[in-house]
Amino acid sequence: MENQGASVVITHHVVDGKQKEYEQWLNEILPLSKGATGFIDLQIVRPIPTLTFSYTVIIRFDTIDHLRNWMESSDRKKLIDKAHPLFTKEDNYQIKTGLDFLFYGEKETKVPVRWKQYLATWSAIYPLSLLMPMMVLPVLRMFSIPVNRYFDGLVSTGCLVFLMIYLVMPNYTQLIKKWLYK
């Protein structure tokens, strides 16, 4: 299980008017995250003005041990202490293994069994994989981008994964949560 990778989903609620200071703080902590042993990648979901107010940072590591080492490191703790006045709530995070972060919910503390994760993910990806080329390829051709199956596939799958992580899975898991977490 250790070799399947691990993700941490960090949520920071930033004091109104302190977003600029928080962004500066991100510029300080992110290079340290990237330099940590086992770091793979990270994503930052910034708040949408007038709609949302929290920052979500998803960081992936190659093993759960490497991820825990970073999250419990003295460097991270010092920077969290430094940023504490910028937060309206405590530093909040959840560690997930593999693709469990797709099934992350605010109130859910357990992870569904693997076969249910498989069925839920497959049933969401299959229709998107059929629809995505029909939606993306005409747009590429409209911009006179020549047919190239590798580039077309890159753009289509990039859009598919973006939709899966940010739109489809958060809503789909809410829709099927009674079955998923049973």
Side-chain angles (χ1 to χ4, degrees):
M1 187 164 196
E2 181 181 314
N3 292 330
Q4 71 182 33
S7 302
V8 62
V9 180
I10 306 165
T11 305
H12 287 148
H13 299 268
V14 178
V15 173
D16 194 34
K18 296 289 185 180
Q19 289 80 5
K20 185 176 179 181
E21 289 92 334
Y22 180 80
E23 290 283 343
Q24 290 169 343
W25 176 81
L26 279 177
N27 290 334
E28 196 174 342
I29 195 169
L30 294 181
L32 293 176
S33 298
K34 292 175 181 178
T37 304
F39 172 84
I40 295 175
D41 68 6
L42 64 83
Q43 296 175 310
I44 302 170
V45 182
R46 288 176 168 79
I48 301 167
T50 71
L51 291 178
T52 60
F53 54 88
S54 64
Y55 284 79
T56 302
V57 181
I58 302 167
I59 307 174
R60 292 187 330 129
F61 279 79
D62 59 353
T63 67
I64 195 159
D65 289 336
H66 286 149
L67 173 58
R68 282 198 176 115
N69 287 343
W70 164 245
M71 294 305 291
E72 295 167 7
S73 72
S74 59
D75 288 342
R76 183 178 186 280
K77 286 179 183 175
K78 285 177 194 170
L79 285 167
I80 291 297
D81 288 344
K82 180 179 179 179
H84 196 265
L86 305 175
F87 303 153
T88 61
K89 295 182 179 181
E90 293 298 313
D91 176 48
N92 180 27
Y93 67 87
Q94 291 221 342
I95 293 176
K96 304 290 183 177
T97 57
L99 291 176
D100 293 346
F101 72 93
L102 290 176
F103 299 92
Y104 170 77
E106 281 185 37
K107 300 212 176 10
E108 294 301 336
T109 56
K110 62 181 185 171
V111 175
V113 292
R114 293 278 182 210
W115 69 268
K116 287 185 178 184
Q117 290 183 42
Y118 166 78
L119 287 177
T121 305
W122 184 28
S123 65
I125 285 178
Y126 178 69
L128 277 179
S129 69
L130 296 176
L131 292 172
M132 201 53 53
M134 290 189 295
M135 294 170 20
V136 170
L137 298 182
V139 174
L140 294 177
R141 302 300 90 83
M142 187 172 69
F143 287 105
S144 302
I145 297 173
V147 174
N148 179 308
R149 73 180 193 168
Y150 300 110
F151 183 75
D152 293 351
L154 177 72
V155 174
S156 291
T157 57
C159 292
L160 185 145
V161 171
F162 179 85
L163 287 174
M164 282 292 292
I165 290 176
Y166 294 109
L167 182 67
V168 174
M169 288 310 283
N171 293 305
Y172 188 41
T173 54
Q174 284 300 310
L175 182 69
I176 64 170
K177 72 179 174 184
K178 283 185 181 177
W179 170 80
L180 194 59
Y181 293 100
K182 186 175 180 182

